[in-house]
Amino acid sequence: IGSQKDRVVTEEEWLQKWETGNIGFHKEQGHPLLQKYLDVLLNGRSGLRIFFPLCGKAVEMKWLADMGHNVVGVEVSEQALKEFFAEHGLPYSEEPVPGISGAKKLQSTCGNISLYCCSIYDLSSSIVGKFDGFWDRGALVAVNPCDRQRYVSLMITLMEKNSSYLLITVSYDPNKHKGPPFYVPESEIKSLFDHCEIKCLQKVDDFSDRHRQWGLDYFLEVLYTIKSVA
Ligand code: SAH
């Protein structure tokens, strides 16, 4: 963990990953843990506002929109967002975002998917409102370690009362890979999400050739649910 704490990945580096197609994190088939824990996210509710921080072109946004929820995402790469709409054949419109210079909002024509092209740190609840549900996969673990508290504090300000937050982290030997994704231990999740109730629901083996090439010999995904108790 010590080996990762000073690591910084710049926005330009992320944009470059998209340009060169170096996006091994993208799951074309969507994430099986969202399917499995959908009920925990929805908790019997319909028509939710669901937030996807650092969304990339996550196909789960389409799943949830098709179920009748309103999806909001944020992503620095405009290419990622355009690929999302193109790959799902969704027409969209673009508009500037009042209050964030240089930012754009790409919104599906039917209105149920709004993707902000800007840095997560430019957002606030006055711009995007609050959310009933959060899907945080490849997001907290992609945030630079020095920005983690700032990121989590922002997420907490976006949580509606009774919101449910699904967080997926990864577990591996941080001395063997510099990240991202970064290793965020459970003790740190608990201190970051201060005043929240945190439950670890599942750990799954996700070890693949990609991780072997990084020099690792194990790689787990860890699913947490987070509820604000404030
Ligand atoms: N959650 C997605 C993408 C994970 S990769 C998925 O599950 O597939 C992390 C993404 O965050 C990248 O697409 C990167 O371009 C984006 N990103 C990195 N820093 C960001 C920031 N500060 N604000 C918004 N997006 C950011």
Side-chain angles (χ1 to χ4, degrees):
I1 314 167
S3 50
Q4 296 190 333
K5 92 176 170 7
D6 299 320
R7 169 128 163 88
V8 171
V9 180
T10 63
E11 283 187 19
E12 287 64 38
E13 289 175 86
W14 282 109
L15 298 183
Q16 207 169 2
K17 285 180 198 281
W18 280 99
E19 278 162 32
T20 57
N22 182 14
I23 53 164
F25 51 79
H26 176 65
K27 276 188 141 46
E28 258 170 59
Q29 303 304 320
H31 207 292
L33 287 174
L34 179 56
Q35 263 162 332
K36 179 162 179 193
Y37 290 96
L38 186 62
D39 291 348
V40 175
L41 180 64
L42 303 181
N43 195 15
R45 303 166 297 171
S46 54
L48 301 187
R49 297 193 77 226
I50 301 182
F51 190 50
F52 281 69
L54 282 67
C55 61
K57 54 174 182 177
V59 301
E60 299 86 351
M61 297 194 284
K62 176 74 165 46
W63 293 356
L64 288 161
D66 286 346
M67 291 173 210
H69 304 290
N70 267 292
V71 168
V72 175
V74 60
E75 166 60 52
V76 283
S77 166
E78 184 170 356
Q79 179 186 340
L81 301 180
K82 292 193 160 162
E83 286 180 14
F84 172 80
F85 288 116
E87 288 170 12
H88 296 285
L90 293 170
Y92 65 94
S93 60
E94 282 185 32
E95 52 180 78
V97 182
I100 315 178
S101 76
K104 274 190 204 171
K105 180 166 91 168
L106 279 61
Q107 188 169 38
S108 63
T109 306
C110 25
N112 54 353
I113 305 178
S114 301
L115 306 181
Y116 288 81
C117 185
C118 61
S119 170
I120 182 83
Y121 307 111
D122 293 332
L123 293 184
S124 62
S125 62
S126 60
I127 296 171
V128 288
K130 295 193 181 218
F131 297 93
D132 310 301
F134 294 76
W135 174 246
D136 183 321
R137 183 269 169 184
L140 174 64
V141 297
V143 162
N144 289 320
C146 59
D147 293 324
R148 261 177 214 155
Q149 187 63 69
R150 181 181 180 200
Y151 168 85
V152 170
S153 299
L154 171 63
M155 289 305 119
I156 292 173
T157 66
L158 301 182
M159 287 164 83
E160 194 67 87
K161 261 207 194 81
N162 300 315
S163 61
S164 47
Y165 191 121
L166 297 188
L167 167 67
I168 298 199
T169 64
V170 293
S171 180
Y172 62 85
D173 181 347
N175 298 306
K176 294 188 172 173
H177 177 59
K178 61 188 164 97
F182 298 108
Y183 169 56
V184 189
E186 179 156 351
S187 56
E188 190 172 344
I189 308 281
K190 289 187 169 151
S191 70
L192 287 166
F193 287 91
D194 195 21
H195 299 300
C196 293
E197 181 190 292
I198 294 157
K199 274 189 218 155
C200 175
L201 294 193
Q202 194 169 353
K203 295 188 183 176
V204 288
D205 178 12
D206 191 42
F207 190 65
S208 69
D209 278 341
R210 188 167 164 246
H211 306 124
R212 196 189 315 276
Q213 279 156 21
W214 293 350
L216 302 179
D217 34 38
Y218 70 91
F219 189 93
L220 304 170
E221 284 188 312
V222 187
L223 175 80
Y224 297 93
T225 56
I226 297 163
K227 295 217 151 68
S228 83
V229 290

Coordinates of all heavy atoms in Angstrom, one line a residue, residues 11 14-15 18 25-27 53-58 60 74-77 80 118-121 135 137-139 142, ligand 1:
E11 N -5.1 12.9 -15.9 CA -6.2 12.8 -16.9 C -5.7 12.5 -18.3 O -6.4 11.8 -19.0 CB -7.0 14.1 -16.9 CG -7.9 14.3 -15.6 CD -8.8 15.5 -15.7 OE1 -9.1 16.0 -16.8 OE2 -9.3 15.8 -14.6
W14 N -5.2 8.9 -18.8 CA -6.5 8.2 -19.0 C -7.0 8.4 -20.4 O -7.5 7.5 -21.1 CB -7.6 8.7 -18.0 CG -7.4 8.1 -16.6 CD1 -6.9 8.7 -15.5 CD2 -7.6 6.7 -16.2 NE1 -6.9 7.8 -14.4 CE2 -7.3 6.6 -14.9 CE3 -8.0 5.6 -16.9 CZ2 -7.4 5.4 -14.2 CZ3 -8.1 4.4 -16.2 CH2 -7.8 4.3 -14.9
L15 N -7.0 9.7 -20.9 CA -7.4 9.9 -22.2 C -6.6 9.1 -23.2 O -7.2 8.6 -24.2 CB -7.3 11.4 -22.6 CG -8.1 12.4 -21.7 CD1 -7.9 13.8 -22.2 CD2 -9.6 12.0 -21.7
W18 N -7.8 5.6 -23.5 CA -8.9 5.4 -24.4 C -8.5 5.5 -25.9 O -9.0 4.8 -26.7 CB -10.0 6.5 -24.0 CG -10.8 6.0 -22.8 CD1 -10.6 6.4 -21.5 CD2 -11.8 5.1 -22.8 NE1 -11.5 5.8 -20.7 CE2 -12.3 4.9 -21.5 CE3 -12.5 4.3 -23.8 CZ2 -13.3 4.1 -21.1 CZ3 -13.5 3.4 -23.4 CH2 -13.9 3.3 -22.1
F25 N -10.0 -2.8 -18.6 CA -11.0 -2.7 -17.5 C -12.4 -2.8 -17.9 O -13.3 -3.2 -17.2 CB -10.8 -1.4 -16.7 CG -10.8 -0.2 -17.5 CD1 -11.9 0.4 -18.0 CD2 -9.6 0.4 -17.9 CE1 -11.9 1.5 -18.8 CE2 -9.5 1.6 -18.7 CZ -10.7 2.1 -19.2
H26 N -12.6 -2.5 -19.2 CA -14.0 -2.5 -19.7 C -14.5 -3.9 -19.9 O -13.9 -4.8 -20.4 CB -14.1 -1.8 -21.1 CG -15.4 -1.8 -21.7 ND1 -16.5 -1.2 -21.1 CD2 -15.9 -2.5 -22.8 CE1 -17.6 -1.4 -21.8 NE2 -17.3 -2.2 -22.8
K27 N -15.7 -4.1 -19.3 CA -16.4 -5.5 -19.4 C -17.5 -5.4 -20.4 O -18.6 -4.9 -20.1 CB -16.9 -5.8 -18.0 CG -15.9 -6.5 -17.1 CD -16.6 -7.0 -15.8 CE -16.1 -8.3 -15.3 NZ -14.7 -8.5 -15.2
P53 N -20.0 6.9 -11.0 CA -18.8 7.7 -11.0 C -17.7 7.1 -11.9 O -17.7 5.8 -12.0 CB -18.3 7.7 -9.6 CG -18.9 6.5 -9.0 CD -20.2 6.2 -9.7
L54 N -16.9 7.9 -12.6 CA -15.8 7.3 -13.5 C -16.4 6.2 -14.4 O -15.9 5.1 -14.3 CB -14.6 6.9 -12.6 CG -13.7 8.0 -12.1 CD1 -14.4 8.9 -11.1 CD2 -12.5 7.4 -11.5
C55 N -17.4 6.5 -15.2 CA -18.2 5.5 -15.8 C -17.6 4.8 -17.0 O -18.1 3.7 -17.3 CB -19.6 6.1 -16.2 SG -19.5 7.4 -17.4
G56 N -16.6 5.4 -17.6 CA -16.1 4.7 -18.9 C -17.3 4.6 -19.8 O -18.2 5.5 -20.0
K57 N -17.4 3.4 -20.4 CA -18.6 3.1 -21.2 C -19.3 1.8 -20.7 O -19.7 0.9 -21.4 CB -18.2 2.9 -22.7 CG -17.1 1.9 -23.0 CD -16.9 1.7 -24.5 CE -15.8 0.6 -24.8 NZ -15.7 0.4 -26.2
A58 N -19.4 1.8 -19.3 CA -20.0 0.7 -18.6 C -21.4 0.3 -19.2 O -22.3 1.1 -19.2 CB -20.0 0.9 -17.1
E60 N -23.5 -1.5 -17.9 CA -24.5 -1.6 -16.8 C -25.4 -0.3 -16.8 O -26.5 -0.3 -16.3 CB -23.8 -1.7 -15.4 CG -23.0 -3.0 -15.3 CD -21.6 -2.9 -15.8 OE1 -21.2 -1.8 -16.4 OE2 -20.8 -3.8 -15.5
V74 N -20.3 10.1 -14.9 CA -19.3 11.2 -15.2 C -18.0 10.5 -15.6 O -17.6 9.4 -15.1 CB -19.0 12.1 -13.9 CG1 -18.6 11.3 -12.7 CG2 -18.0 13.2 -14.3
E75 N -17.3 11.1 -16.6 CA -16.2 10.5 -17.2 C -15.4 11.6 -17.9 O -15.9 12.4 -18.6 CB -16.7 9.4 -18.2 CG -15.7 8.9 -19.2 CD -14.5 8.2 -18.6 OE1 -14.6 7.3 -17.8 OE2 -13.3 8.6 -18.9
V76 N -14.0 11.6 -17.7 CA -13.2 12.6 -18.4 C -13.0 12.3 -19.9 O -12.8 13.3 -20.7 CB -11.8 12.7 -17.9 CG1 -11.8 13.5 -16.5 CG2 -11.1 11.4 -17.7
S77 N -13.2 11.1 -20.4 CA -13.0 10.8 -21.8 C -14.2 10.9 -22.6 O -15.2 10.1 -22.4 CB -12.4 9.4 -21.9 OG -12.4 9.0 -23.3
A80 N -14.9 7.8 -24.6 CA -15.6 6.7 -23.9 C -17.1 6.9 -24.0 O -17.9 6.0 -24.3 CB -15.1 6.7 -22.5
C118 N -16.4 15.5 -17.8 CA -15.6 16.4 -17.0 C -15.0 15.6 -15.9 O -15.2 14.4 -15.8 CB -16.5 17.5 -16.4 SG -17.8 17.0 -15.3
S119 N -14.2 16.3 -15.0 CA -13.6 15.5 -13.9 C -14.7 15.4 -12.8 O -15.5 16.3 -12.6 CB -12.4 16.3 -13.3 OG -12.1 15.7 -12.1
I120 N -14.7 14.2 -12.1 CA -15.6 14.0 -11.0 C -15.5 15.2 -10.0 O -16.5 15.5 -9.4 CB -15.3 12.6 -10.4 CG1 -16.2 12.3 -9.2 CG2 -13.9 12.6 -9.8 CD1 -17.5 11.7 -9.6
Y121 N -14.3 15.7 -9.9 CA -14.1 16.8 -8.8 C -14.7 18.1 -9.2 O -14.8 19.0 -8.4 CB -12.6 16.9 -8.6 CG -11.9 15.6 -8.2 CD1 -11.0 15.0 -9.1 CD2 -12.3 14.9 -7.0 CE1 -10.4 13.8 -8.8 CE2 -11.7 13.7 -6.8 CZ -10.8 13.1 -7.6 OH -10.2 11.9 -7.3
W135 N -23.3 2.8 -8.4 CA -22.5 1.7 -8.8 C -21.0 2.1 -9.0 O -20.7 2.8 -9.9 CB -23.1 1.1 -10.1 CG -22.2 0.0 -10.7 CD1 -21.6 0.0 -11.9 CD2 -22.1 -1.3 -10.2 NE1 -21.0 -1.2 -12.2 CE2 -21.2 -2.0 -11.1 CE3 -22.5 -2.0 -9.1 CZ2 -20.8 -3.4 -10.9 CZ3 -22.1 -3.3 -8.9 CH2 -21.3 -4.0 -9.8
R137 N -17.7 0.8 -9.5 CA -16.8 -0.3 -10.0 C -15.8 0.3 -10.9 O -16.1 1.1 -11.8 CB -17.6 -1.4 -10.7 CG -16.8 -2.6 -11.2 CD -16.2 -2.4 -12.6 NE -15.3 -3.4 -12.9 CZ -14.6 -3.4 -14.0 NH1 -14.8 -2.5 -14.9 NH2 -13.7 -4.3 -14.3
G138 N -14.5 0.1 -10.6 CA -13.4 0.7 -11.4 C -13.4 2.2 -11.1 O -12.9 3.0 -12.0
A139 N -13.9 2.7 -10.0 CA -14.0 4.1 -9.7 C -13.2 4.5 -8.5 O -12.1 5.0 -8.7 CB -15.5 4.5 -9.6
A142 N -9.8 3.5 -9.1 CA -9.1 4.2 -10.1 C -8.6 5.6 -9.7 O -7.8 6.2 -10.3 CB -9.9 4.3 -11.4
Ligands
SAH1 N1 -16.2 2.3 -14.2 C1 -15.9 2.0 -15.6 C2 -14.5 2.5 -16.0 C3 -13.3 2.1 -15.1 S1 -11.7 2.8 -15.5 C4 -16.0 0.5 -15.8 O1 -16.4 -0.2 -14.9 O2 -15.7 0.0 -16.9 C5 -11.7 4.4 -14.8 C6 -12.3 5.5 -15.7 O3 -12.3 6.7 -15.0 C7 -11.6 5.7 -17.0 O4 -12.5 5.6 -18.0 C8 -11.0 7.1 -16.9 O5 -11.0 7.8 -18.1 C9 -12.0 7.8 -15.9 N2 -11.4 8.8 -15.0 C10 -10.2 8.9 -14.4 N3 -10.1 10.0 -13.6 C11 -11.3 10.6 -13.7 C12 -11.8 11.8 -13.1 N4 -11.0 12.6 -12.3 N5 -13.0 12.2 -13.4 C13 -13.8 11.5 -14.2 N6 -13.4 10.3 -14.8 C14 -12.2 9.9 -14.6

